[in-house]
Amino acid sequence: MKIGLAGLRYSGKTSLFKLLTGSNVSYEKSGVNIGTARVPDKRIDALAEIYQPEKITYAALELADIPGIDLNKNRSFFADIRKVDLLLVVLRDFADDIHPNPLETNDYRRDLGIIKDELLLQDMVVTEKRLESLAGQLKKQGCKELQLEYEVLRRAAELLNQGEFLAKMELSGAEEKIMRNHGFFTRKALLPIINTDEDKITAEYDWPAFSLQVEAEIAALPEQDREEYCRLLGVSEPALDRIVRAVYRQAGLISFFTVGKDEVRAWTIVQGTTAKAAAGKIHSDLEKGFIRAEVCAYEDFIKCRDMSIAKNDNKVRLESKDYIVQDGDMLNIRFNV
Ligand SMILES: Nc1nc2c(ncn2[C@@H]2O[C@H](COP(=O)(O)OP(=O)(O)OP(=O)(O)O)[C@@H](O)[C@H]2O)c(=O)[nH]1
Ligand SMILES: [Mg+2]
């Protein structure tokens, strides 16, 4: 699962990328920056406090910082976007005369509209081209698969012509596969966020808002001072923590935990993953030799803060390979190789 930071020029994508990944890339680099962002999780903090492990591992998101969309049609922008699964669209509502909004004034709804239109247009071009070539092929020979592709793309073209995103389409398994092969932009999840001025961080916006300057100030503080500073600003936590968790959720990702003296760790899985497949995330041997998963929900565990007490209280279940792992499950895999 790859998350792309996209938007118009000078909306603050690279600044945001640097903050989220802690990397020190150049603002002026023309290509894509790749890095990982830690997913903050108070539950991991609490588990680490209990187990005092040698190592603490948070969940992570893979980020790609994509150069700003060029209104004079920079094609590479779209090639880069093709590779990501979710678009975090950074919209700008801050003033900066040195790096002005490429459209001169700030209007984040307008900017989002422009970006959406560009994505839609690209999908239209792909659809029309493919439909044309399919029509030619189908004239020569009828083939069930090509016929299905033709029909599903016809439906897609109709939606796009009405200005609708393809994410709206309901598809059968076979249709979904066809659509996935085309890597359509408007089927990707899209989450707008707004980079605003310091004095507007508590303003009402349609989407999550943050101020890069404020976030940078918070990040520069020692860990123990951050909460107090947030309180002074009138916010409950750094906006970036909230945003990263929102991205994680929107991408359909959840975390399960493993705990011990050596490591307290969050593992990332997509919603709907079975216990056996989750075990495979930890190690392929655990998946191959899977017997049972001992499962305790974090909320149950944290009430007693001790696994043997949780066991005595019947809060630890034995689940089989088809159990669907839930967010916050603490797992211990029984296996045999
Ligand atoms: N005043 C102010 N300046 C900001 C803020 N966010 C970013 N900037 C400045 O705006 C300039 C552009 O920011 P970048 O992070 O490079 O923007 P970008 O979206 O990566 O731009 P492109 O890659 O060119 O599309 C930088 O000089 C930043 O310091 C902000 O919240 N407030
Ligand atoms: Mg940039």
Side-chain angles (χ1 to χ4, degrees), residues 12-15 26-29 33 65-68:
K13 299 175 292 296
T14 301
S15 315
S26 149
Y27 287 105
E28 298 307 330
K29 190 171 160 259
N33 296 307
D65 165 34
I66 300 168

Side-chain angles (χ1 to χ4, degrees), residues 6-18 26-31 33 65-69 90 92-100 195-198 210-214:
L8 299 184
R9 284 214 71 187
Y10 298 148
S11 64
K13 299 175 292 296
T14 301
S15 315
L16 176 61
F17 176 85
K18 284 158 81 98
S26 149
Y27 287 105
E28 298 307 330
K29 190 171 160 259
S30 56
N33 296 307
D65 165 34
I66 300 168
I69 185 168
V90 184
R92 135 174 210 163
D93 198 30
F94 64 86
D96 176 356
D97 297 337
I98 304 167
H99 304 91
N195 183 11
T196 187
D197 280 319
E198 183 166 355
F210 65 103
S211 155
L212 267 177
Q213 275 174 342
V214 170

Side-chain angles (χ1 to χ4, degrees), residues 259-272:
V259 293
K261 273 273 154 235
D262 50 341
E263 188 179 24
V264 162
R265 177 161 183 168
W267 301 84
T268 300
I269 48 174
V270 294
Q271 254 164 31

